[in-house]
Each structure stands twice: as structure tokens, then as C-alpha cells.
Amino acid sequence: MRLNSPQINIISKACMKASRSLIRDFGEIENLQVSSKGPGDFVTSADKRTEKIIIDELQKAHPEYGIISEETGYINKSNTKNRWIIDPIDGTMNFLNSIPQFAISIGYEEEGEIKCGVIFNPIMNEMFCAEKGNGAYLNNSRIRVSNKKNIKESLIVTGGPRGESKIKDKIFSEYINVSKNVSNVRKFGSAALDLAYVACGRFDGYWQRELSYWDIAAGVIILKEAGGFVEFFEDDNSNPLKRNILATNSNIHEELKELLK
Ligand code: 2AM
Ligand code: CA
């Protein structure tokens, strides 16, 4: 791999370290699924355990960097120059149900711009990573978005709505409209991996409302470096951590955007 910034090395090391306990935890879930208590509490602690390993590792390298992480929130909030953006388990619902479609996602931001990121699915042993200006990789191979030009032939991925969403009807009607005009739509349950899959051409486009910044920070740079196009739409200015995202191979971008109107 030709990625060589110190930050990408720090992130991939943290991912590898955290993934060892995450793989063990995933192995436990099957047993807990059939127990009367269920795996709920265990998953919450696995999430926290994974986050702690990642944060400890990142802080060892740079105690002064800012952090935004799903479970803990902000650390060193005043440092907005250098910041790690962490989602310890993206695709928690899949993890909870013993479905191996989840990932650790870590992005690194400098002066408000994402410079590099890693998305690691420890069960499939797939590490997606990218660094600004140096391309995107899946393990050791360079990746690129698909070359699909016709939206009617495109495979699109999306997610949501969550149970508590106040715009469920809107999200469902978008789902129907997109479904009628593309080859097919998937709901895979991990925003980070959805973006990574567009980056390597498995999907042609992705959209999702009501995400959090940590779900997509690493995915944005991976997709951009793979030749894709990312756009945030109808941003809620009162909450900078909330995002609606549209991300494609760039060829079908305008057409997919049109379908969401
Ligand atoms: P999670 O697994 O870390 O909770 C599922 O469609 C994907 O969207 C997952 O990446 C999930 O992250 C994320 N997601 C769905 N609804 C969300 C919400 N309301 N806020 C934040 N993330 C959400
Ligand atoms: Ca997430």
C-alpha cells in the first residue's frame, strides 16, 4: 500500500488492536442470542471496550488531538485543528444479530477537512483506507468506483429510518421512488461499509438521512479518493454532527439526486 502519513499508520494500528477483542466479542454473541437475557448489554459493553482500545491507542500517539467518538462524545474539544473521528462499531444492529456486516471506522481531520480514514471489517478481514491525494485501497489493492452510467442499471444502497425518526414517511417515499427507477436497492446496515462498497464499485450509489458524522467521516475520504462524489444535502445547521449524505460513482450523481426531490 502506498499510503504513508503518520496518521494513517496510527489509525490502522488502532483498528487492528481493537479488532482482536471485537472478533472475540462477536464470537460470544451467538451464545448470548439463545440465552434468556439476550446480547443487548453485552453489545453495549463491547462497543465501549472497542472504543476504549481505539482511544487509548490514538492518545498514546497524540494526547493533544481532539476526538469525536460515538460513545464518549468530545475529548479535547478545543482542539479543532487535529481531530480523530471514531465509530467503534458501525452496524451495531448487524453485530447484535451475529451478521458479519459491521466495521470500525476512524477518520482523521485537519483544520476541519478529512485527510485520511480507515474502515475495517474484522470478520471479512477487509480494510478500506485512503489518504488525501494518494488514492483509496482495499487491503493492498487500489480501488475505484464503478463505471456505471445508467441509473436504471445501478445498484443503490441506503439505510434508515431509525425507530425514533420523525421523517419515516419521507424516507419510505424516497425509498419507493428510487427503487422504481434503479436496478435494485439494498439496506445493508452499516453506513461506513455502504460508503466503502461504493468506493470499490460493489454499489453504484448510496444515500441516507439522519446520520452522524462518525458514521461517515472515514467513508467520505475513501470514496472521494476512489473517484466518487459526495454531497451533504439539507443540512441541519443547528447540529453540525448530523448529516444527510448522497454519495455515488459520480456518473449517476445528478440522476440519483433528482430522484430524491
Ligand atoms: P450504528 O450502527 O453505529 O448505530 C444503519 O442504517 C447505519 O446508519 C449504521 O451505520 C448506523 O450506525 C447508522 N444510523 C442509522 N440511524 C442513525 C441515526 N439516527 N443516528 C446515527 N446513526 C444512524
Ligand atoms: Ca455508526
Side-chain angles (χ1 to χ4, degrees):
M1 193 197 313
R2 267 162 258 123
L3 302 184
N4 47 26
S5 70
Q7 286 84 6
I8 199 99
N9 288 326
I10 294 164
I11 295 177
S12 9
K13 240 179 85 192
C15 272
M16 293 310 290
K17 189 158 184 195
S19 69
R20 288 195 279 277
S21 85
L22 194 52
I23 291 167
R24 275 198 303 276
D25 288 344
F26 187 65
E28 270 298 304
I29 302 252
E30 232 163 61
N31 305 329
L32 290 165
Q33 224 120 35
V34 291
S35 80
S36 55
K37 201 162 154 262
D41 291 345
F42 179 80
V43 168
T44 309
S45 48
D47 223 341
K48 294 205 165 111
R49 204 164 27 240
T50 310
E51 184 183 69
K52 187 175 179 333
I53 297 170
I54 295 168
I55 291 179
D56 285 353
E57 201 62 23
L58 299 177
Q59 285 190 320
K60 234 193 273 169
H62 284 290
E64 77 286 9
Y65 276 19
I67 289 177
I68 306 177
S69 190
E70 180 167 20
E71 301 297 320
T72 303
Y74 287 95
I75 296 172
N76 293 340
K77 194 173 179 184
S78 62
N79 187 349
T80 52
K81 186 171 180 284
N82 310 95
R83 203 151 68 166
W84 308 112
I85 320 290
I86 307 164
D87 193 342
I89 307 178
D90 184 66
T92 322
M93 182 75 92
N94 285 342
F95 183 80
L96 179 71
N97 286 279
S98 301
I99 301 168
Q101 182 72 6
F102 60 89
I104 297 171
S105 172
I106 309 175
Y108 167 66
E109 198 194 68
E110 224 169 72
E111 310 278 10
E113 188 190 4
I114 303 284
K115 293 286 187 192
C116 61
V118 172
I119 294 171
F120 183 46
N121 177 340
I123 309 301
M124 309 282 277
N125 196 25
E126 287 192 325
M127 183 177 276
F128 298 86
C129 50
E131 191 175 272
K132 196 174 178 213
N134 283 331
Y137 289 81
L138 164 52
N139 296 337
N140 288 315
S141 305
R142 187 84 188 248
I143 51 170
R144 255 203 86 70
V145 290
S146 76
N147 193 30
K148 201 77 63 68
K149 293 192 172 69
N150 187 346
I151 187 109
K152 294 242 174 272
E153 293 169 5
S154 296
L155 184 60
I156 306 296
V157 65
T158 189
R162 277 223 171 152
E164 72 269 22
S165 174
K166 295 192 173 64
I167 54 162
K168 278 187 185 167
D169 288 346
K170 185 177 187 160
I171 291 172
F172 286 132
S173 70
E174 282 175 348
Y175 186 88
I176 291 169
N177 197 37
V178 173
S179 301
K180 283 179 177 169
N181 289 283
V182 302
S183 171
N184 223 318
V185 180
R186 295 281 181 269
K187 275 176 77 171
F188 248 30
S190 159
L193 287 173
D194 292 345
L195 278 165
Y197 282 20
V198 180
C200 68
R202 292 174 184 171
F203 294 125
D204 306 301
Y206 166 61
W207 94 96
Q208 187 164 342
R209 289 179 181 269
E210 301 188 304
L211 288 168
S212 298
Y213 188 40
W214 46 76
D215 301 319
I216 42 112
V220 165
I221 184 74
I222 293 170
L223 183 62
K224 281 184 180 169
E225 286 296 320
F229 195 75
V230 178
E231 190 175 12
F232 297 111
F233 62 100
E234 294 172 30
D235 264 345
D236 171 8
N237 293 326
S238 66
N239 186 350
L241 292 182
K242 286 282 158 213
R243 300 292 165 97
N244 303 315
I245 191 168
L246 171 61
T248 66
N249 66 1
S250 93
N251 293 333
I252 61 158
H253 199 86
E254 287 310 314
E255 283 172 288
L256 184 55
K257 193 171 172 180
E258 205 51 43
L259 294 176
L260 297 172
K261 278 185 181 155

